[in-house]
Amino acid sequence: MRSEPAVAVTGLVKRYGDTTAVDGLDLTAERGAVTAVLGPNGAGKTTTVETCEGFRTADGGDVRVLGLDPARDGAALRPRIGVMLQSGGVYPTVRAMEMLRHTARLHAHPLDPEELGERLGLHSCGRTPYRRLSGGQQQRLALALAVVGRPELVFLDEPTAGLDPQARHATWELIRALRAAGVAVVLTTHLMDEAEELADHVAVVDVGRVIAAGSPAALCGGHDDVLRFEGRPGLDLASLDAALPPGARAEESPAGHYCVTGAGGPALLAAVTAWCAAHDVLADRITTRRHSLEDVFLDLTGRKLRP
Ligand code: ATP
């Protein structure tokens, strides 16, 4: 049964009184892959993930985690999944490395806690009581605790929020290593570059449903690339347009600032620079930009702050 997805959610519904937090949501997370769940605040991500973790019961739909029902089979599931909690779950006075070693001993085949502590920079604060750890150190300990039991599936809730760049990269490396070891990683994040960097599959959730899903490349594909440069005002745009790949076009706004949009960024760049060379134009401040996951996210969910 190794081929079944690690998480298979179909038509999930969850209500809190009059609020429908999740409204017919479908989500699949494969083994050996990172699945990023993105969405605006209040979209229903945490509710969905907590239902998969067995902390909440669904009002409708079907939730399968490693082939089991988390509401019913929690005892069988718990040793097989890792959950990174945003806060809590650790005694305030326990020391960081003690907690990690203790948690490792609770599992049959744990990772080496010393190596994991080293990897996440926990040794330098290993003797510090939990309540005295900085926010970032608590975060790194929470990640270590989630993965030390060698889970088949790990849920990471904003794992790098508030981390310094070094810790962020160490976290990303660890997530990549988990994926390479065949672990299914379900990641909720508001950091679009993190999702773009790590995710094999992205699900964008809004008002309780998945409104778009696919690989970052598939979600970002099909959009024009944008190339900007500065040059002397009044360049012959008809001539430039004629030199561009089919479908691409150039605009000048304001005077001396040019924007060229079209598919196939590298070909666009080559055409623009060749045209400039042929017309004795020294293009200044050339920048190119691909449609990012953040652009896709804002296109889908809107640019205005939600009420
Ligand atoms: P964020 O990005 O801010 O963490 P989210 O996508 O994780 O948001 P949820 O926490 O799942 O969103 O919340 C979805 C909706 O359900 C929100 O409208 C929230 O106010 C509501 N909600 C969540 N938990 C409860 C609760 N225990 N009781 C009542 N309403 C709740």
Side-chain angles (χ1 to χ4, degrees), residues 14-17 19-22 38-50 56 157-158 188-190 205 208:
K14 176 69 189 174
R15 296 185 201 92
Y16 300 108
T19 305
T20 303
V22 180
L38 312 180
N41 292 137
K45 304 179 298 293
T46 306
T47 302
T48 301
V49 167
E50 289 183 350
R56 300 195 181 276
D157 186 11
E158 299 187 42
T188 50
T189 183
H190 289 291
V205 177

Side-chain angles (χ1 to χ4, degrees), residues 39-300:
N41 292 137
K45 304 179 298 293
T46 306
T47 302
T48 301
V49 167
E50 289 183 350
T51 308
C52 294
E53 293 164 350
F55 295 135
R56 300 195 181 276
T57 45
D59 293 314
D62 189 53
V63 178
R64 295 269 126 194
V65 175
L66 302 175
L68 300 171
D69 175 354
R72 215 188 42 212
D73 309 317
L77 210 46
R78 263 189 293 281
R80 298 173 62 193
I81 67 175
V83 175
M84 181 180 172
L85 300 169
Q86 278 289 329
S87 61
V90 179
Y91 295 112
T93 53
V94 77
R95 297 174 202 278
M97 281 305 297
E98 267 171 22
M99 184 70 198
L100 187 55
R101 290 182 194 115
H102 170 73
T103 307
R105 281 194 293 272
L106 299 177
H107 291 274
H109 305 289
L111 297 175
D112 177 357
E114 308 308 321
E115 206 177 295
L116 185 58
E118 188 70 45
R119 187 166 196 156
L120 290 173
L122 289 170
H123 275 292
S124 58
C125 59
R127 296 187 49 74
T128 308
Y130 181 77
R131 70 189 151 91
R132 298 263 179 240
L133 294 175
S134 74
Q137 290 166 341
Q138 289 186 358
Q139 186 104 334
R140 283 183 267 154
L141 177 60
L143 175 62
L145 294 173
V147 304
V148 72
R150 227 184 268 268
E152 292 168 58
L153 163 66
V154 63
F155 292 99
L156 305 178
D157 186 11
E158 299 187 42
T160 64
L163 291 190
D164 64 34
Q166 289 84 352
R168 193 168 178 231
H169 280 276
T171 302
W172 286 5
E173 283 309 310
L174 180 63
I175 292 172
R176 289 195 187 99
L178 291 168
R179 167 174 53 196
V183 177
V185 180
V186 177
L187 172 80
T188 50
T189 183
H190 289 291
L191 303 172
M192 297 297 137
D193 63 330
E194 178 160 286
E196 204 153 5
E197 187 72 30
L198 292 177
D200 302 287
H201 184 79
V202 169
V204 182
V205 177
D206 200 8
V207 284
R209 286 168 181 258
V210 172
I211 54 167
S215 67
L219 288 173
C220 296
H223 294 278
D224 282 346
D225 294 322
V226 179
L227 183 153
R228 292 177 197 279
F229 68 95
E230 292 174 28
R232 62 173 183 267
L235 293 179
D236 182 351
L237 291 185
S239 162
L240 176 53
D241 273 346
L244 296 176
R249 65 197 180 284
E251 287 173 0
E252 181 183 7
S253 175
H257 292 252
Y258 296 89
C259 176
V260 183
T261 49
L268 209 59
L269 178 61
V272 170
T273 51
W275 184 88
C276 287
H279 293 80
D280 194 28
V281 173
L282 182 62
D284 202 8
R285 298 179 211 276
I286 298 185
T287 59
T288 54
R289 189 158 176 270
R290 282 239 139 109
H291 214 69
S292 68
L293 199 53
E294 181 147 339
D295 295 320
V296 173
F297 182 85
L298 291 172
D299 288 349
L300 287 166

